[in-house]
Amino acid sequence: MPELPECEASRKAVEAGALNRTIEGFEEHNTIHLELPGPQDRDRLKGHQFTETHRHGKHIFAGSKSGPWIAVHLGMTGSLKTFDAPRDLPDYAHFIIRFEGDRRLIYYNPRKFGWMRVIDDPHDWIANKDLGPDAMEIGDNMFADRIGGSRGTVKSALLDQKKLAGVGNLWADEALYRAGIGPEVKGTELGSDRIATLYKEMRASLQGVLDVNADYGKLPGDWLIHNREEGADCPRCGGTITKKTVGGRTAYFCPDYQEAA
Ligand SMILES: [Zn+2]
């Protein structure tokens, strides 16, 4: 599932290829599973240009000072890319924004739960959604309050987009692994030192993925992502990677390396 770094890669693609071009039209292919702008919203976009982008947690935005904006959620599997017609349309293109000339913005999303909406302003929209601060923007004190104050498991707290936005299953597991904290530890069981370590490691995990533009093959070999398999050898301590459902999500962790309380 696209999390903060994967969404940032899509935002960068929009920024690099879809700004300052007039929107002329739209195309869609096999989009019955997606929520997309209706005819009125498409009319709102037509004739406008995107001049800036924004990302908050797992939401991507493109628009201009006076609007309108698109807000995009990539769901379980989506991404945004640009390409130039008349090259053959990639078969993964589900929704296409057609700009003047050959440029196209493609919203690829083969599974449910993805959407694109037309909105007036991303900052108002974020405030109304009650989303927490972006995981790369949140300060250490607020992180400590929000995660350390959670009576639920620390894993569930990291995934709660109202506490902080952008962390999903994959990078929550990675952050906990690096911090040596078991996924079932309660937020309130973490002392200030371990919360500070988790904050540092969450940022380091996300920054590491941002630095390689979410190309996982370029991540160092001692990352959990390369060993997310029950029974795999832990690259840090020689223990065994274990799989367990925590808060309704599948957690991978090393019980030897990650303390249970
Ligand atoms: Zn280990």
Side-chain angles (χ1 to χ4, degrees), residues 75-142:
M76 308 291 285
T77 50
S79 65
L80 296 167
K81 291 186 170 72
T82 60
F83 87 111
D84 288 322
R87 212 181 71 192
D88 285 346
L89 198 66
D91 58 7
Y92 55 75
H94 293 96
F95 185 67
I96 296 152
I97 298 180
R98 200 174 67 237
F99 297 97
E100 59 183 321
D102 292 336
R103 192 58 51 87
R104 307 287 183 262
L105 174 63
I106 294 174
Y107 179 32
Y108 158 78
N109 204 330
R111 285 169 65 187
K112 280 206 260 196
F113 308 122
W115 50 257
M116 180 187 291
R117 293 174 193 151
V118 176
I119 63 169
D120 294 327
D121 177 79
H123 301 286
D124 292 347
W125 188 89
I126 291 161
N128 286 332
K129 286 289 167 197
D130 198 19
L131 288 168
D134 184 80
M136 286 305 283
E137 303 287 333
I138 191 170
D140 54 354
N141 287 330
M142 189 182 279

Side-chain angles (χ1 to χ4, degrees), residues 234 237-239 254 257:
C234 168
C237 80
C254 173
Y257 189 71

Side-chain angles (χ1 to χ4, degrees), residues 177 234-241 254-258:
Y177 177 66
C234 168
R236 297 207 167 188
C237 80
T240 303
I241 300 301
C254 173
D256 293 342
Y257 189 71
Q258 294 172 252

Side-chain angles (χ1 to χ4, degrees), residues 140 143-144 174-181 190-205 236 257:
D140 54 354
F143 181 87
E174 195 74 49
L176 289 166
Y177 177 66
R178 294 168 66 114
I181 296 169
L190 292 169
S192 56
D193 285 0
R194 293 169 87 203
I195 283 281
T197 300
L198 180 57
Y199 175 72
K200 182 172 78 96
E201 296 298 349
M202 175 193 75
R203 290 177 59 88
S205 302
R236 297 207 167 188
Y257 189 71

